[in-house]
Amino acid sequence: MSTTTATLVRGRGANSAVLRSEVRLFLREPGSLFGVMVFPPALLVILGSIPAFREADSGPAGLRLIDAYVPITVLLPMIVAGLQAMAPVIAGYRERGILRRMSTTPVQPPALLGAQMTIHGVAALASSLLSLAIGRLAFDVKLPQQAFGYLLALLLSVVVALSLGALVSARARTAKVASAIGSTVFFPSMFCAGVWLPVQSMPTALANIVELTPFGAAAQAMNQAAAGDWPSWSHLAVLAAWAVVLTAASARWFRWE
Amino acid sequence: MTTTHSAVRGDRPLIEVAGLRKVYAGRAVVDDVSFTVGEGEIFGILGPNGAGKTTAVECVEGLRVPDAGRVRVAGLDPVADHDRVTEILGAQLQESELQAKLTVREALELYAAFYPNPADWRPLAERLRLTDKLGTRFAKLSGGQKQRLFIALALIGNPRVVVLDELTTGLDPRARRDTWQLIEDVRDSGVTVLLVTHFMEEAQRLCDRIAVIDKGRIAALDTPAGLISRAAGSTVMSFTPSAPLDEEALRDLPALASVEHRDGRVTLGGTDETVNAVITLLARHQITAHQLRVSDATLDDAFLDLTGAAQS
């Protein structure tokens, strides 16, 4: 076996050891687990239990309100994962010298960042699928008719949410500051995703603005895909632009120490 | 055979630092620092807080990029060959932590997975008295237990060099002594040790050679004994005279480094020559020296002398 191969094999082993260890630590954070995995599906269950939400034409565009709320609860875990769960963890790792300690080993700190993004991304997507399944099974909400368009919007939203979280952790010096900034961005993000009022129900002027935000655009793209249309390119373009800008900004400003 | 072997090893220092300079905000934190560390040596870097000790060793660890100078660890550049240096250099950093909810066992297993030929963590944990703490989370460990875990993590990759920065800060005296014993064991197993400290006693007990750093520069580099004898007041004499001494006569003593009066007791720093002259002086004036004590200066005295000189 050549040295390069040996290094690669070892690198993979070490990276998976980091991932396993971070998964274990994620499972020890009840707050993050609840926020990402329990809160969004639970919200859907609670709203779906209100009879008015299940009445025909109770929602926008001929939908029931519960139909409109499925894409919202699909987006919600990403916002929680990126801003509330991941950002303070990464800022804390830097604040407490964990990233520095790791940079004195053959495994470099990007392995830790990669593991964090993988875990939070996968957990958010799992929670999204859970909400889709609950909607379909418990409340008779149709699965997205334009599955590829829906998936594309979903994946772009994960990238946006994780890079937004990474950007917050890049700018925050401590875990506390990251939590504070995270919460400040968290509520507007939830609003734009339509948690309080679905974007389709917003007044046109407000909806036009909200559609320029990443989660507003994501919500609209997913609504269109859910109804069976390919999402407007304008919504996808807004999402993709945010994904590029936020990723570039977090890469530009992230400090390992 | 052994002598030849160590002579051969001595030809090629394991750590070479030459003309190292690191500037922050226009101020040279490390300025023209040069030293070499031979294989199997315990080399100390001693200095007051803020002297640039940590910055200097961080350049050796490859955590910082020097502004000038050359650093090599086993012939490798810690910045350009960072990956290869991390495989042979184990580090214990000042002020670094682990994930709060990671247990001791998980930390040991995790860090062992980072290295090509890791040590078996079980005997290591035993040696560091961590065996009954394996299931404890990092945040629940005491300061001493955390330090011992960091020493274990520094050794887990079977390194050729360990860099220990303020290793015993925050430890109680007993834990500190245990740690010193451990460092000696580590060296005896063939590992080279670069030790940053501001504890004189620690440096005097452990180090083969010491670089005293003050304001970013090397103020002295020698063995502990060499540093002590080099200091102006390497011998300290104290006594309570039966009658007042003539100040003039005291000041004229040969090789006198310091004079101190306190509660009728006189303390003089100087050399053996000073001591002899004092005895002659006392005899001439028929003064008795009560509770006469003559002792070698400690590294503490030498350190104050060396760094004090650098200040003026």
Side-chain angles (χ1 to χ4, degrees), chain A residues 145-164:
Chain A
Q145 303 297 293
Q146 174 43 264
F148 283 116
Y150 201 86
L151 190 65
L152 181 62
L154 197 62
L155 292 178
L156 281 172
S157 307
V158 176
V159 174
V160 165
L162 294 179
S163 53
L164 190 57

Side-chain angles (χ1 to χ4, degrees), chain A residues 10 14 17-18 21-22 24-25 28-30 93 96-98 100-108 112 257, chain B residues 58 63-64 82 86-87 89 91 93 96-102 106 110-111 113-116 137 153-154:
Chain A
R10 189 172 67 243
V18 172
S21 155
E22 291 301 308
R24 224 180 270 144
L25 292 170
R28 285 175 196 163
E29 291 300 334
Y93 282 3
R96 297 199 307 267
I98 294 166
R100 254 169 89 67
R101 177 64 187 82
M102 193 168 261
S103 53
T104 66
T105 73
V107 177
Q108 294 298 300
L112 207 49
E257 48 185 84
Chain B
E58 280 175 347
L63 288 175
R64 297 195 187 278
H82 190 65
T86 56
E87 289 181 2
L89 183 146
L93 305 179
S96 85
E97 292 182 36
L98 291 176
Q99 291 90 326
K101 294 185 180 178
L102 199 65
E106 287 162 358
L110 177 66
Y111 275 71
F114 292 175
Y115 294 92
R137 292 178 178 185
L153 295 182

Side-chain angles (χ1 to χ4, degrees), chain B:
Chain B
M1 275 305 280
T2 319
T3 325
T4 322
H5 186 54
S6 55
V8 169
R9 287 198 307 188
D11 284 348
R12 184 73 193 268
L14 199 53
I15 300 175
E16 298 172 70
V17 174
L20 179 65
R21 184 178 165 84
K22 183 75 192 170
V23 180
Y24 288 119
R27 195 173 73 91
V29 180
V30 173
D31 194 4
D32 196 24
V33 164
S34 304
F35 60 87
T36 59
V37 183
E39 190 145 18
E41 194 175 16
I42 300 183
F43 188 89
I45 295 189
L46 186 67
N49 293 330
K53 308 183 295 281
T54 294
T55 307
V57 296
E58 280 175 347
C59 291
V60 174
E61 292 163 333
L63 288 175
R64 297 195 187 278
V65 183
D67 290 316
R70 181 185 139 95
V71 180
R72 291 290 180 274
V73 176
L76 301 166
D77 180 335
V79 177
D81 296 315
H82 190 65
D83 288 356
R84 290 169 72 196
V85 169
T86 56
E87 289 181 2
I88 56 165
L89 183 146
Q92 172 258 323
L93 305 179
Q94 201 183 349
E95 290 174 6
S96 85
E97 292 182 36
L98 291 176
Q99 291 90 326
K101 294 185 180 178
L102 199 65
T103 68
V104 170
R105 179 200 302 272
E106 287 162 358
L108 291 165
E109 284 175 345
L110 177 66
Y111 275 71
F114 292 175
Y115 294 92
N117 302 301
D120 184 353
W121 59 264
R122 287 167 197 85
L124 196 56
E126 199 157 317
R127 216 164 117 201
L128 285 149
R129 295 188 289 115
L130 289 166
T131 312
D132 56 343
K133 291 288 166 197
L134 289 175
T136 308
R137 292 178 178 185
F138 180 78
K140 302 272 182 212
L141 297 174
S142 71
Q145 290 160 351
K146 284 179 182 171
Q147 280 298 45
R148 295 207 300 272
L149 176 57
F150 279 120
I151 299 171
L153 295 182
L155 293 171
I156 205 155
N158 267 328
R160 290 175 68 190
V161 191
V162 282
V163 180
L164 306 169
D165 193 351
E166 300 288 3
L167 181 67
T168 59
T169 302
L171 296 190
D172 61 57
R174 149 111 213 244
R176 184 172 297 155
R177 261 154 232 283
D178 288 349
T179 308
W180 291 346
Q181 183 58 51
L182 179 83
I183 301 306
E184 283 169 339
D185 293 348
V186 166
R187 190 264 303 275
D188 292 345
S189 68
V191 179
T192 305
V193 180
L194 181 58
L195 182 79
V196 174
T197 185
H198 64 261
F199 281 118
M200 306 304 144
E201 200 188 348
E202 181 168 300
Q204 193 163 359
R205 152 95 188 255
L206 287 177
C207 297
D208 298 309
R209 286 185 307 140
I210 296 168
V212 177
I213 295 195
D214 189 36
K215 294 190 168 64
R217 291 179 158 272
I218 292 197
L221 199 167
D222 209 332
T223 60
L227 285 176
I228 293 165
S229 66
R230 187 197 289 212
S234 63
T235 303
V236 177
M237 179 183 201
S238 66
F239 55 90
T240 309
S242 57
L245 286 165
D246 177 16
E247 271 302 307
E248 281 295 306
L250 274 182
R251 299 229 177 271
D252 290 342
L253 286 169
L256 184 77
S258 62
V259 187
E260 200 187 303
H261 296 271
R262 186 181 292 171
D263 303 332
R265 197 164 173 79
V266 180
T267 305
L268 302 169
T271 63
D272 287 348
E273 205 188 340
T274 323
V275 175
N276 287 328
V278 170
I279 292 168
T280 313
L281 180 77
L282 292 173
R284 199 186 315 135
H285 293 76
Q286 293 185 318
I287 295 172
T288 314
H290 297 292
Q291 290 177 301
L292 174 66
R293 302 281 183 276
V294 180
S295 62
D296 286 337
T298 61
L299 192 56
D300 229 341
D301 303 309
F303 175 77
L304 289 174
D305 189 49
L306 286 164
T307 54
Q311 266 161 18
S312 56

